[in-house]
């Protein structure tokens, strides 16, 4: 480029009467492209724009003029013309494409000033968008593909005090990356993250590997990924609803620590799974399980449909506790619904499924469940109610857990 310029015709850039070009003195918006009056790199425009300004990337932008990574630390809005035609390609640079950094040294979080990246196609490099500790960033209408590592990821904060809070991903599509589509784990200290109508398709790793507190996934497609479709890791109040999940778990791309593939795995955390469609068989592979509670804590799955999984719909392992599988509300077209129940107090619609109640105390007054017949006079399973330290069955037996 030549010099910086304000944006003509977009959000009010002012025009120079003599030349008809934007007035360079208008410093809150800059344009990137191949015209003489435009910046030729996103980084140069960023470094010359006021905090809270916008950078408009035209279809004529050429990534060859860029030095990667593109570091955003000025709380700017980077907007492309269209995610189909505005391409930011890091190729084989070995660097991340975008890195969002807070850029505030005093620990304050200026909610009115946040980063945004939108309407772009991001390709190549290592990670498509790396989020350092950041508050209220918006990433939307983005396509990320063919990166060596993750599509969108947060920086590992182990040993640091940084927190990423209320970051919002909307309509972000990640395809054929070498790592996870979305990588927002607990180690990145991600709280209140939102993934809305996002897509992770045919990635080598997990479609969405998410942790932290209050992480919510709404809608979207998670299909044909090498490992799980969605993995909820340590945290609490994690949630997925209205999502389409299909054929996650191609064993040829699985790591050595990959035991069973699942469309959704709940790993040592509390999560809710609602109103989702689970299709085990897909072009990219076939999931062994629909939902895999692996250390699930007070989690539940309800109002979902399951079909074509190799093992069955839901698995509950021995490290899970208080998981509710809501048999009545889910539609199961698999041969098996509950593959295994090795968990503590596994429930359906709030009631503990048949188990030996002599080793299972209730959790609250009038808790209810089924003894598997081990402690009943009839020898048959019977419903029981917890009262004053004992289970009382409908047949009149009293079961006092040891």
């Amino acid at each position: 480029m030549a010099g910086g310029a304000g944006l003509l015709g977009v959000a009010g850039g002012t025009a120079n009467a003599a030349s008809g070009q934007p007035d360079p003195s208008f410093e809150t918006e800059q344009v990137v492209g191949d015209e003489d009056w435009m910046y030729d790199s996103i980084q140069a425009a960023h470094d010359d724009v006021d905090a809270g300004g916008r950078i408009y990337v035209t279809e004529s932008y050429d990534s060859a003029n860029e030095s990667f990574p593109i570091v955003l630390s000025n709380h700017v809005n980077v907007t492309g013309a269209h995610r189909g035609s505005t391409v930011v390609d890091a190729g084989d640079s070995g660097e991340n494409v975008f890195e969002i950094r807070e850029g505030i040294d005093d620990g304050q979080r200026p909610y009115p000033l946040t980063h945004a990246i939108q309407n772009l196609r991001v390709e190549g490099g290592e990670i498509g968008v790396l989020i350092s500790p950041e508050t209220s960033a918006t990433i939307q209408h983005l396509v990320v593909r063919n990166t060596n590592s993750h599509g969108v990821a947060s920086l590992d904060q182990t040993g640091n005090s940084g927190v990423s809070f209320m970051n919002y991903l909307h309509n972000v599509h990640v395809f054929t990356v070498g790592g996870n589509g979305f990588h927002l784990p607990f180690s990145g200290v991600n709280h209140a993250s939102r993934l809305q109508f996002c897509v992770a398709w045919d990635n080598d790793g997990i479609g969405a590997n998410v942790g932290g507190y209050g992480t919510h996934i709404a809608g979207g497609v998670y299909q044909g990924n090498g490992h799980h479709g969605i993995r909820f890791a340590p945290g609490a109040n994690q949630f997925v609803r209205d999502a389409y999940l299909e054929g996650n778990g191609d064993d040829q791309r699985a790591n050595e620590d990959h035991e069973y593939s699942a469309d959704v795995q709940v790993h040592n955390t509390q999560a809710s799974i609602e109103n989702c469609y689970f299709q085990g068989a897909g072009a990219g592979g076939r999931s062994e399980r629909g939902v895999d509670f692996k250390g699930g804590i007070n989690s539940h799955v309800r109002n979902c449909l399951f079909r074509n999984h190799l093992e069955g719909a839901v698995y509950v392992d021995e490290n899970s506790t208080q998981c509710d599988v809501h048999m009545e509300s889910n539609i199961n077209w698999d041969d098996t619904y509950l593959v295994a129940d090795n968990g503590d107090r596994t429930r359906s619609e709030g009631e503990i499924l048949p188990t030996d109640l002599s080793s299972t105390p209730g959790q609250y007054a009038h808790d209810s469940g089924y003894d598997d017949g081990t402690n009943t006079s009839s020898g048959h399973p019977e419903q029981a109610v917890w009262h004053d330290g004992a289970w009382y069955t409908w047949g009149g037996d009293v079961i006092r857990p040891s």
Side-chain angles (χ1 to χ4, degrees):
M1 148 175 162
L7 178 59
L8 175 65
V10 180
T14 59
N16 182 301
S19 66
Q21 300 299 338
D23 184 347
S25 66
F26 192 76
E27 296 177 348
T28 59
E29 301 195 7
Q30 306 292 5
V31 187
V32 182
D34 66 356
E35 297 292 336
D36 290 343
W37 55 272
M38 299 178 181
Y39 286 88
D40 59 10
S41 75
I42 299 170
Q43 190 68 67
H46 167 276
D47 296 344
D48 214 20
V49 75
D50 288 348
R54 183 162 74 154
I55 299 166
Y56 181 75
V57 187
T58 69
E59 294 172 322
S60 65
Y61 163 77
D62 187 350
S63 299
N65 297 318
E66 201 72 63
S67 179
F68 295 99
I70 301 168
V71 178
L72 307 180
S73 60
N74 210 16
H75 300 101
V76 298
N77 181 327
V78 179
T79 300
H82 190 277
R83 66 183 185 181
S85 56
T86 310
V87 182
V88 184
D89 188 352
D92 57 1
S93 67
E95 300 287 347
N96 300 324
V97 185
F98 284 99
E99 293 186 2
I100 296 177
R101 299 180 184 172
E102 179 65 58
I104 301 296
D105 296 328
D106 61 5
Q108 300 300 311
R109 301 191 178 281
Y111 295 99
L113 292 178
T114 61
H115 288 103
I117 303 175
Q118 58 189 356
N119 299 340
L120 295 169
R121 188 166 87 230
V122 175
E123 297 195 7
E126 291 303 302
I127 295 172
V129 179
L130 178 65
I131 304 171
S132 188
E134 173 67 348
T135 298
S136 300
T138 297
I139 302 171
Q140 63 180 350
H141 309 309
L142 213 69
V143 169
V144 182
R145 67 180 192 178
N146 299 333
T147 64
N148 291 325
S149 184
H150 309 305
V152 178
S154 60
L155 186 67
D156 191 333
Q157 290 298 303
T158 303
N160 298 323
S161 58
V163 175
S164 287
F165 186 59
M166 295 197 313
N167 293 318
Y168 175 62
L169 281 66
H170 172 75
N171 193 27
V172 178
H173 293 204
V174 181
F175 302 97
T176 59
V177 302
N180 301 327
F182 302 93
H183 185 69
L184 307 172
F186 186 79
S187 61
V189 197
N190 296 280
H191 301 322
S193 298
R194 296 291 184 269
L195 284 73
Q196 187 175 38
F197 306 122
C198 292
V199 174
W201 197 319
D202 196 26
N203 302 297
D204 282 355
I206 300 167
N209 183 43
V210 296
Y213 298 98
T215 299
H216 284 200
I217 298 175
V221 176
Y222 299 84
Q223 180 172 349
N225 297 289
H227 297 205
H228 311 299
I230 296 170
R231 180 178 185 265
F232 290 110
N237 189 30
Q238 298 165 344
F239 191 82
V240 58
R241 62 177 173 84
D242 305 329
Y244 180 103
L245 300 111
E246 178 176 330
N248 295 287
D250 183 344
D251 291 336
Q252 293 180 351
R253 294 183 292 181
N255 289 333
E256 293 179 358
D257 61 353
H258 172 54
E259 185 177 0
Y260 289 97
S261 64
D263 286 321
V264 174
Q265 185 187 75
V266 177
H267 183 69
N268 295 336
T269 190
Q270 174 200 28
S272 300
I273 304 160
E274 298 184 2
N275 305 324
C276 294
Y277 175 81
F278 290 84
Q279 165 64 282
R286 187 171 182 186
S287 308
E288 288 155 312
R289 298 166 179 171
V291 174
D292 185 8
F293 288 114
K294 190 174 183 180
I297 305 167
N298 289 77
S299 300
H300 74 253
V301 52
R302 72 170 115 201
N303 298 329
C304 296
L305 187 149
F306 297 90
R307 61 188 302 184
N308 294 326
H309 295 90
L310 288 173
E311 279 202 337
V314 180
Y315 181 92
V316 184
D317 81 346
E318 66 276 5
N319 296 313
S320 297
T321 182
Q322 296 276 104
C323 292
D324 198 318
V325 296
H326 290 281
M327 290 183 173
E328 292 182 17
S329 71
N330 292 303
I331 299 174
N332 179 48
W333 293 348
D334 283 331
D335 293 335
T336 304
Y337 178 67
L338 193 60
V339 179
D341 169 23
N342 301 310
D344 178 38
R345 299 184 188 87
T346 302
R347 300 173 182 265
S348 179
E349 309 300 335
E351 292 195 300
I352 298 172
L353 294 176
T355 189
D356 181 355
L357 290 180
S358 67
S359 59
T360 308
Q363 289 296 285
Y364 47 86
H366 306 123
D367 195 2
S368 63
Y370 285 84
D371 187 81
D372 59 7
T374 303
N375 306 287
T376 63
S377 299
S378 67
H380 300 301
E382 289 185 18
Q383 191 177 27
V385 175
W386 180 255
H387 175 70
D388 197 21
W391 291 104
Y392 291 82
T393 72
W394 294 119
D397 297 299
V398 179
I399 306 169
R400 297 186 181 276
S402 57

